[in-house]
Amino acid sequence: EHRVKQLKSFLDHVLLLFPFEKKYFDKEGIQSTFTGHPLLEEQIKSKVDISQIIKDNKKIFSIYPGSRLSEINVLIPILFKFIKKMNEKYKDLFFVFHSTTEHVQLIQNLLLKEGFKNCGAIADEKIKSHILKSSMFAVAKSGTISLEISNSKIPSIIIYKMGAINFFIVKMLVKVKFANIINIAANEEIIPELLQSSCNPTNIYNTVDKLLSDKNAMEKQVTKSQEIISNFKTEKSTEIASSVIESYF
């Protein structure tokens, strides 16, 4: 709300990705149009052979450690300890770290150093998308990727950890109760969030293990997430945005 007031003086019209944002702009008398989120629109994807990545008929477990080096440095040690706990109970999983071209080699080197036999790291966007859709679960750093995971109908949890001072500043500026956009829109925790001190190997393992042991809970999460993101879709975001822009010429 505070940012909307700051932007008011130099905005003519705002294009919105989420429908619940409109009330904040309406309150300040700023014209706005909900376009829908382009990330959620159907796209034609080419087939990808992942047999050389995932071998021995392992089940795929996707992990998103973040795209910034600072996030990776904080979350990788936590995630490695989580995987070790998972490997004690689950013998049929292959963990795939979804990374960027900038950091994929770093993660691959860290995985090799740790001696993991059932882990890999990828950066190719086509392969990442296919891997996600073939996954049985995902653990992801809080961010836009949670939308893609939910849109792919994959059960998941959200994690995040930052410095105490930065977190305090964020809490002072942000008024929402949740970090995940699905939970924010629903005003309830549909997708479990493990943030700050709760973001530790034991909590992550216990939360994931509980969900994997409860098929109904995973199905309920996917169903509820689908209901929420259906409100974010128009399937024609480009056309709507173009129409608004053209009206100003």
Side-chain angles (χ1 to χ4, degrees):
E1 289 182 63
H2 178 66
R3 282 187 294 174
V4 172
K5 290 179 180 179
Q6 289 183 318
L7 294 170
K8 184 177 180 179
S9 62
F10 55 88
L11 286 178
D12 292 315
H13 204 115
V14 180
L15 302 177
L16 306 174
L17 296 177
F18 304 107
F20 60 81
E21 296 173 310
K22 189 168 176 55
K23 61 185 178 184
Y24 300 113
F25 293 94
D26 286 348
K27 184 179 178 181
E28 296 299 323
I30 302 173
Q31 291 189 73
S32 64
T33 300
F34 167 59
T35 65
H37 205 302
L39 182 66
L40 302 176
E41 294 177 2
E42 290 294 326
Q43 297 178 3
I44 298 174
K45 304 224 181 236
S46 57
K47 291 186 178 181
V48 178
D49 180 14
I50 61 172
S51 61
Q52 296 303 309
I53 303 172
I54 313 298
K55 298 180 180 179
D56 303 323
N57 296 315
K58 298 272 189 180
K59 295 177 182 177
I60 303 172
F61 194 113
S62 284
I63 294 183
Y64 295 83
S67 57
R68 299 185 183 92
L69 184 59
S70 58
E71 295 168 338
I72 294 170
N73 287 337
V74 170
L75 293 177
I76 283 290
I78 296 171
L79 289 166
F80 279 7
K81 290 177 183 177
F82 156 69
I83 291 173
K84 289 177 182 178
K85 286 179 176 290
M86 290 290 287
N87 283 342
E88 291 176 8
K89 180 175 180 179
Y90 299 92
K91 308 299 181 183
D92 60 344
L93 300 181
F94 191 91
F95 298 88
V96 179
F97 283 76
H98 295 243
S99 187
T100 62
T101 53
E102 184 180 3
H103 300 307
V104 66
Q105 190 61 55
L106 167 65
I107 294 176
Q108 287 174 342
N109 291 341
L110 291 172
L111 288 170
L112 286 172
K113 184 178 179 181
E114 204 67 31
F116 286 119
K117 304 297 183 184
N118 64 330
C119 294
I122 55 174
D124 184 280
E125 292 301 325
K126 288 183 180 179
I127 296 176
K128 284 160 68 174
S129 178
H130 195 79
I131 288 286
L132 173 59
K133 285 179 169 56
S134 302
S135 297
M136 46 83 75
F137 203 91
V139 171
K141 186 228 82 176
S142 180
T144 307
I145 187 59
S146 63
L147 280 178
E148 188 175 346
I149 294 170
S150 294
N151 198 42
S152 298
K153 301 179 182 178
I154 307 300
S156 66
I157 70 167
I158 297 300
I159 63 173
Y160 200 71
K161 194 168 191 176
M162 65 174 70
I165 294 175
N166 288 337
F167 184 71
F168 176 76
I169 293 171
V170 169
K171 290 293 287 184
M172 290 288 288
L173 296 174
V174 179
K175 296 180 180 180
V176 293
K177 291 190 293 184
F178 303 105
N180 184 284
I181 193 66
I182 302 291
N183 296 341
I184 292 171
N187 199 31
E188 65 171 299
E189 191 176 76
I190 294 173
I191 299 173
E193 298 183 0
L194 298 177
L195 313 176
Q196 292 305 101
S197 60
S198 295
C199 179
N200 62 66
T202 300
N203 281 349
I204 298 173
Y205 171 78
N206 288 339
T207 306
V208 171
D209 183 48
K210 183 178 179 180
L211 279 168
L212 291 180
S213 302
D214 189 344
K215 186 178 179 181
N216 288 333
M218 288 196 292
E219 290 177 349
K220 185 177 179 181
Q221 182 194 119
V222 170
T223 299
K224 280 193 167 186
S225 297
Q226 288 298 300
E227 291 173 359
I228 295 298
I229 63 175
S230 67
N231 297 318
F232 300 164
K233 297 179 181 181
T234 61
E235 298 299 343
K236 51 182 180 179
S237 60
T238 301
E239 291 90 336
I240 295 172
S242 296
S243 176
V244 172
I245 294 170
E246 287 173 1
S247 70
Y248 283 87
F249 288 99

